[in-house]
Amino acid sequence: SLRDNLHNDSSGEQFLELIRLTVLQVTLLHSPPKKTSASHKNRRARDKNITKRKRRTLNARISAIKANNPSSPHLAKLQNDVNLLTYEIKELIESDLEAREDTAVRKIKANP
C-alpha cells in the first residue's frame, strides 16, 4: 500500500513527490487558468516595441562604429535607417492616438 511504500522510503523522495503532486492537483483545481501575455498586447503596441528595439540596436551599432572607426562609410546608411525607424515610430504613435480618440468619440456618441 501507499503507507508501506512511504515508510520504506529512506530518502524521502516518494514523500516529496506525493506532496508535489498533491499541491499541483489542488492548484489546478482551485486556480484560474493562466492567460498568455501576448493576448493582452494589441498589434500596434507590439509593432511599436519591435521598432523601438530595432532602433536601439542600430543606435548601439552606430555608437560602436563611431568609437572604433569614425570615418566608416556605413555610418550614413545606419543613421538613415535610424531616422526611418524614428519616423515609423512617430507614425505608429500618431495612429495609436487617433485610434484612441476615435474610440472615445464613438463611446461619447453612443452614450451622451
Side-chain angles (χ1 to χ4, degrees):
S1 78
L2 181 63
R3 179 174 278 181
D4 293 335
N5 286 341
L6 290 177
H7 284 297
N8 294 335
D9 184 22
S10 60
S11 65
E13 288 181 20
Q14 290 179 348
F15 182 68
L16 290 175
E17 182 67 16
L18 178 65
I19 289 176
R20 187 188 71 77
L21 290 174
T22 305
V23 169
L24 177 65
Q25 184 179 18
V26 169
T27 304
L28 289 174
L29 284 174
H30 299 290
S31 63
K34 184 177 179 182
K35 295 181 180 178
T36 59
S37 62
S39 67
H40 296 294
K41 284 192 172 184
N42 62 17
R43 182 72 183 167
R44 286 188 305 256
R46 193 176 17 221
D47 289 345
K48 186 172 64 172
N49 288 337
I50 290 169
T51 309
K52 284 182 176 181
R53 218 173 12 251
K54 286 179 186 177
R55 184 178 64 174
R56 267 197 314 270
T57 305
L58 285 178
N59 279 329
R61 285 182 61 193
I62 288 172
S63 297
I65 290 174
K66 281 183 180 178
N68 295 333
N69 186 10
S71 62
S72 175
H74 296 292
L75 280 176
K77 181 188 180 310
L78 290 175
Q79 192 62 48
N80 187 36
D81 290 345
V82 167
N83 292 338
L84 290 173
L85 287 173
T86 303
Y87 179 76
E88 188 177 338
I89 291 169
K90 181 182 84 78
E91 292 295 318
L92 287 169
I93 290 172
E94 287 178 354
S95 69
D96 188 35
L97 290 174
E98 287 174 7
R100 286 183 187 183
E101 184 179 358
D102 291 342
T103 304
V105 168
R106 271 187 282 131
K107 285 183 180 179
I108 291 171
K109 285 181 180 179
N111 188 12

